[in-house]
Amino acid sequence: MTMLTPVEEAALELRTRRTWRLDALVLGIVALLLRLPAFFAARSLVFDDGVFASSVFAMRRGDLPFRDVFSSQGALFLPLAWLGDLVGLRTINAPRVLAVAAGVLLTVATYSCARQLTTRSHALLAAALVTTSGSVLWVTGPLNADGPALALSVLAVAFALRYRRRPRHVDAVYVGIAAGAAMSIKAIAGPAVLVAGLVVVCSNHAFVKGLLDGALAASVGVAVVLVTALPWGIDRVWEQAFRYHTDATRQSNVTSALHKVLETLWARDLAVLVALALAAVFLVVRRHGEAGWWRPSLTVWMLGGWAALVVVLLVTEPALWRAHVAHLVVPLALLAALAPPPWRVLLVAAVVVVPVSVYQNHTILWPGGYSGTDAAVVARLHSLPDDALVISDDPGLVWRAERGVPGPFADASFLRIDAGELTASKVARAAQARDVCGVLVTSPDHYGRFTDLGDRLHAEGFFAEHFGDEVTFYARPGCEPS
């Protein structure tokens, strides 16, 4: 092996830094462009998109997370969403700024991880697989807590891998900041955070130094979690962001949850699965016959363990949603990029897979607007006074009409109804406020369960307007918000 002089090493480091920055810039632009259609979508793309955007609208009015706005995510999420809304100049789509920024950060962080594990071209492949993943697009276009949590947790892994290459205390601190921020958004970031910590601890030949830096990273992470929770009250954060989820009724058993994970990957992440399968096949072909060819490297163990931890968490959590599967995409994409097949094979596979993936994910790549009943409802809500509030079991319809939802009712998920936090009496009582101009019932699984809600609202002077068989808007006559 030829030894480089200090001058040659410095020149190589400079070239590497320049290519890294160029690649990161290009990948960031691509990630941004892919998410612009979702950012400008004229409808609420998923239920959470409407819930969190309505929460941001409530914060525009001065409501605070955990006190005035029910906050089912970690303490850092809604403040970051508020900041993104501010950057977006508080336009109707501005709450989605955080989601799109998370998509860009996640793409670059994945590239950074892969660049420290494999070659530049393979790192570009990993980043491309992640940024075009359907599961990732669904949490980094619509406003969703999984996108920012995933981006920050992968950033923590990237800092940890940089620490492994050149152990420095400052990188251990960066690991702690990124990991703590991720956990302050969503606990499902835990597997990536754990992997980042283990990389720091096991990276240094001097075990004691690695252990101390690991403790430093963990301490910084815990401090971030505490500092972000303190302004809102640690007890409130615990009740709304953690106990609310752990006490939720389990939605499916382990078998059905695993089936949901696999079905989601097949429906949204076909390119990742095909790339991973091809990498595995060609690895066997290349190395079969070599002594110990079947023994995984430490890197494979790390990434495989990361993916396994995510799967275990997904199938055991009480309420598994498709958005959570996005946390599995990054370790799978990194595994696929460690030793992919020849580029000509990937090109042939892409010719077949890309059109199928585009078709499977066309609703997030080119989302349309409302039509039919939903469009009529939005038009009706838009006719209300500008500062009118509407209590709705679909807050996204209110948001897209540019009207607000009272903070305590911004999250109208059926889990809150199951827990008894939302009831007909609470809705009717809140509807008495002068600035509440209506109550919208759209779903039999949500406020449609409240069979006596209509009678309660009629007693308060509201009258019913029906849109189709299931949607009813209870309007207050002559509503004039203060």
Side-chain angles (χ1 to χ4, degrees):
M1 181 177 178
T2 304
M3 298 295 293
L4 297 178
T5 66
V7 174
E8 290 173 331
E9 287 184 353
L12 178 60
E13 181 74 17
L14 180 60
R15 287 197 300 272
T16 301
R17 192 178 298 117
R18 285 175 176 171
T19 58
W20 196 101
R21 290 172 179 171
L22 176 61
D23 291 345
L25 176 62
V26 172
L27 288 168
I29 292 173
V30 171
L32 174 64
L33 293 176
L34 282 172
R35 286 155 179 80
L36 287 181
F39 177 81
F40 289 111
R43 63 183 174 89
S44 176
L45 296 172
V46 291
F47 187 76
D48 281 355
D49 197 27
V51 166
F52 298 135
S54 295
S55 300
V56 171
F57 270 40
M59 289 190 290
R60 288 184 187 180
R61 301 191 303 270
D63 289 357
L64 295 177
F66 298 100
R67 191 191 73 179
D68 308 306
V69 181
F70 180 84
S71 307
S72 62
Q73 308 304 315
L76 189 58
F77 174 62
L78 285 183
L80 285 179
W82 179 89
L83 180 61
D85 183 55
L86 186 64
V87 171
L89 304 179
R90 293 187 167 179
T91 59
I92 186 171
N93 294 315
R96 290 174 174 153
V97 166
L98 174 62
V100 174
V104 174
L105 176 60
L106 175 60
T107 302
V108 176
T110 301
Y111 171 77
S112 178
C113 289
R115 189 70 187 269
Q116 297 174 84
L117 296 173
T118 183
T119 66
R120 178 190 180 192
S121 59
H122 294 173
L124 290 170
L125 171 63
L129 289 172
V130 168
T131 201
T132 59
S133 154
S135 290
V136 170
L137 284 169
W138 276 107
V139 298
T140 56
L143 182 55
N144 188 293
D146 288 278
L150 177 58
L152 287 166
S153 65
V154 175
L155 182 63
V157 176
F159 282 132
L161 290 172
R162 190 169 75 173
Y163 174 92
R164 184 178 70 166
R165 182 168 57 89
R166 184 183 301 170
R168 298 185 304 168
H169 295 306
V170 66
D171 282 329
V173 172
Y174 290 155
V175 170
I177 293 173
M183 294 298 290
S184 293
I185 295 176
K186 209 168 181 72
I188 199 173
V193 167
L194 179 60
V195 167
L198 290 175
V199 169
V200 171
V201 171
C202 301
S203 290
N204 205 301
H205 293 298
F207 178 72
V208 174
K209 175 175 170 49
L211 198 60
L212 291 175
D213 281 344
L216 174 62
S219 300
V220 171
V222 171
V224 169
V225 172
L226 292 176
V227 167
T228 55
L230 279 173
W232 322 116
I234 293 178
D235 55 337
R236 292 195 191 103
V237 173
W238 175 258
E239 288 294 326
Q240 297 181 32
F242 294 97
R243 190 170 179 179
Y244 166 70
H245 294 284
T246 58
D247 290 351
T249 304
R250 184 168 178 83
Q251 302 298 310
S252 57
N253 58 36
V254 172
T255 302
S256 59
L258 181 59
H259 178 268
K260 188 173 186 177
V261 170
L262 295 175
E263 191 275 332
T264 301
L265 287 172
W266 181 258
R268 295 182 174 181
D269 305 297
L270 184 61
V272 175
L273 295 180
V274 170
L276 184 62
L278 288 174
V281 169
F282 275 82
L283 179 64
V284 172
V285 170
R286 287 168 181 158
R287 300 188 60 182
H288 183 66
E290 297 179 9
W293 66 271
W294 49 271
R295 294 192 185 97
S297 66
L298 287 176
T299 299
V300 172
W301 275 115
M302 178 190 72
L303 297 176
W306 179 359
L309 286 171
V310 174
V311 170
V312 170
L313 189 58
L314 291 178
V315 300
T316 56
E317 65 174 321
L320 170 64
W321 310 115
R322 292 188 185 277
H324 300 165
V325 179
H327 292 265
L328 190 55
V329 171
V330 174
L332 294 183
L334 290 173
L335 280 170
L338 285 181
W343 287 105
R344 62 180 180 275
V345 175
L346 287 174
L347 181 60
V348 172
V351 170
V352 177
V353 172
V354 169
V356 177
S357 295
V358 170
Y359 173 76
Q360 289 177 324
N361 295 292
H362 72 278
T363 53
I364 188 62
L365 290 169
W366 298 286
Y370 286 120
S371 61
T373 298
D374 288 341
V377 169
V378 170
R380 175 65 180 92
L381 297 180
H382 192 72
S383 70
L384 297 173
D386 290 345
D387 49 357
L389 299 183
V390 176
I391 299 174
S392 173
D393 57 6
D394 187 349
L397 292 170
V398 184
W399 164 45
R400 298 315 304 181
E402 298 186 74
R403 300 299 179 263
V405 179
F409 297 89
D411 187 339
S413 63
F414 69 82
L415 293 180
R416 293 190 70 198
I417 298 175
D418 290 343
E421 294 182 6
L422 295 178
T423 63
S425 61
K426 289 182 179 179
V427 171
R429 191 180 309 119
Q432 296 174 17
R434 181 176 178 178
D435 49 0
V436 174
C437 290
V439 176
L440 180 64
V441 179
T442 68
S443 168
D445 294 327
H446 293 83
Y447 291 172
R449 296 194 210 176
F450 304 149
T451 55
D452 61 336
L453 179 59
D455 293 336
R456 290 174 180 269
L457 294 173
H458 285 309
E460 297 296 333
F462 289 78
F463 64 92
E465 300 177 17
H466 299 284
F467 295 82
D469 296 329
E470 293 185 348
V471 180
T472 303
F473 177 55
Y474 296 94
R476 183 198 298 276
C479 183
E480 296 181 2
S482 56

